[in-house]
Amino acid sequence: MDLHRQRLNPYAQVNPPPEIVERFPQWTHDETRELLAIRAQLDRSFTETKRNKPLWEATSSMLQQKGFFRTPDQCKSKWKNLVTRFKGIESAEGEIGKQFPFYEEMRRIFSDRMERLIVFEKEKGKAVQVRVKEWEEEAEEEEEEEEEEGKAEESKKRRKVTRKKNLEEEVKDALREFMRRQLEMEARWAEAAEAREVERRAREEEWRRVMESLQEERMEMEKRWREREEERRAREEARSERRHALVMALLDKLSQKFL
């Protein structure tokens, strides 16, 4: 039944043998890299649709074609874990990114997604320009018709001026909308960078306070130890002096007795 379904649909879900599921409970590096490669290939589809269950089924099927048997839910859960780790690495600084073996693959996926968004915005601006050109051509055709029909020159000028103003306003509105989205995108990136910096400073301040507290606690413990050591020495000296005095007293009595 599973083989028949896969012949009809190459992305059909095939249940893996039980011994394979038991043998590979954890994700290997090769398996994770294949998942990221497939996810990068289908990323455009994931961002263009809200119902992504068929896409996760396709991801699972493509993994099975590579020899890795994972269910759609397992693929989705693994992707979410990778995204969480990547965001945590992005909020940190220094060489910590090298500790995440799939950092470059994740960064490439999100960079490609951002580039597609920028290209989409540019294409939208080009579409507005094409529309403006079409409006201008339509305006020229209408002017020719007006001239052929012999309409008044003043009426043509007024309509031309009005049409031109409308076109200019629409172009300005489209450009303003494009610039607004660009500024919002840059502002979000700046806010994220500022939030990461604030969080980093807060962690450093907390670490400094903890270290100072530990240092003070260590010094206090050393002080108490020295005080107890001095008290012990004083008690030992007093005990030794009493013992010496007792021995001398006994010796005096014995010497007097024999004399």
Side-chain angles (χ1 to χ4, degrees):
M1 179 62 180
D2 291 338
L3 293 175
H4 178 67
R5 289 175 58 192
Q6 191 162 11
R7 291 194 193 98
L8 295 177
N9 182 7
Y11 293 146
Q13 183 66 27
V14 178
N15 295 325
E19 62 273 10
I20 293 180
V21 175
E22 295 176 359
R23 192 182 306 166
F24 298 102
Q26 301 296 330
W27 285 77
T28 64
H29 275 58
D30 293 340
E31 191 175 9
T32 304
R33 292 190 190 281
E34 287 293 342
L35 172 66
L36 290 176
I38 296 171
R39 187 58 175 76
Q41 180 181 350
L42 300 177
D43 188 66
R44 180 187 292 273
S45 299
F46 273 97
T47 56
E48 292 177 353
T49 180
K50 294 181 179 180
R51 299 175 59 85
N52 53 20
K53 183 177 180 181
L55 293 174
W56 286 117
E57 292 177 352
T59 303
S60 174
S61 178
M62 294 170 74
L63 270 178
Q64 291 174 15
Q65 294 175 7
K66 299 290 185 178
F68 302 113
F69 292 90
R70 291 291 179 176
T71 65
D73 291 337
Q74 288 174 333
C75 296
K76 182 178 181 180
S77 177
K78 182 63 176 178
W79 168 253
K80 287 184 177 181
N81 292 337
L82 291 171
V83 170
T84 301
R85 283 196 63 187
F86 176 73
K87 289 181 177 179
I89 295 296
E90 280 286 285
S91 64
E93 294 182 355
E95 299 296 324
I96 191 171
K98 295 182 179 179
Q99 301 176 7
F100 183 37
F102 310 108
Y103 177 81
E104 287 300 326
E105 288 85 346
M106 296 295 295
R107 184 189 62 78
R108 194 177 302 113
I109 290 174
F110 284 100
S111 297
D112 292 344
R113 183 181 298 179
M114 184 58 63
E115 290 178 1
R116 288 199 304 271
L117 179 59
I118 294 173
V119 170
F120 172 76
E121 294 294 341
K122 290 182 178 179
E123 290 178 351
K124 185 176 180 181
K126 291 180 180 178
V128 171
Q129 294 177 358
V130 171
R131 183 56 181 164
V132 168
K133 186 176 181 181
E134 293 177 354
W135 286 338
E136 290 177 350
E137 293 175 354
E138 292 176 0
E140 292 176 357
E141 292 177 359
E142 290 179 1
E143 289 176 3
E144 291 176 358
E145 291 177 358
E146 289 177 358
E147 290 176 356
E148 292 175 357
E149 293 174 359
K151 291 185 178 180
E153 186 68 22
E154 187 65 26
S155 176
K156 289 192 298 182
K157 290 182 179 180
R158 285 198 301 268
R159 294 186 62 182
K160 184 177 180 180
V161 170
T162 302
R163 191 179 302 111
K164 186 175 181 180
K165 288 182 179 180
N166 292 336
L167 290 174
E168 289 176 353
E169 287 297 325
E170 291 184 5
V171 171
K172 289 179 181 179
D173 292 341
L175 293 176
R176 280 196 294 266
E177 179 66 17
F178 175 74
M179 292 302 299
R180 183 184 67 80
R181 293 193 179 186
Q182 288 292 108
L183 292 174
E184 287 180 355
M185 189 183 305
E186 293 176 0
R188 285 197 295 270
W189 279 101
E191 290 176 359
E194 184 178 356
R196 289 196 297 270
E197 180 65 18
V198 171
E199 185 179 357
R200 183 185 65 82
R201 291 178 181 175
R203 287 200 301 269
E204 289 182 355
E205 184 65 24
E206 180 65 21
W207 178 82
R208 190 161 39 250
R209 286 198 299 268
V210 170
M211 294 303 295
E212 290 176 355
S213 176
L214 291 175
Q215 182 68 14
E216 293 176 357
E217 184 177 353
R218 185 180 66 82
M219 294 176 64
E220 183 66 24
M221 291 177 65
E222 289 181 354
K223 181 181 178 182
R224 288 198 298 269
W225 179 81
R226 283 195 297 269
E227 290 176 353
R228 288 196 298 270
E229 189 67 17
E230 290 175 358
E231 291 177 357
R232 185 186 64 78
R233 276 202 209 96
R235 288 195 299 271
E236 288 291 334
E237 291 175 358
R239 190 179 300 112
S240 177
E241 290 177 357
R242 288 196 300 272
R243 188 164 50 247
H244 179 71
L246 180 60
V247 170
M248 294 301 295
L250 289 174
L251 290 175
D252 288 341
K253 286 183 180 180
L254 289 174
S255 62
Q256 290 176 5
K257 181 178 179 180
F258 288 107
L259 289 176

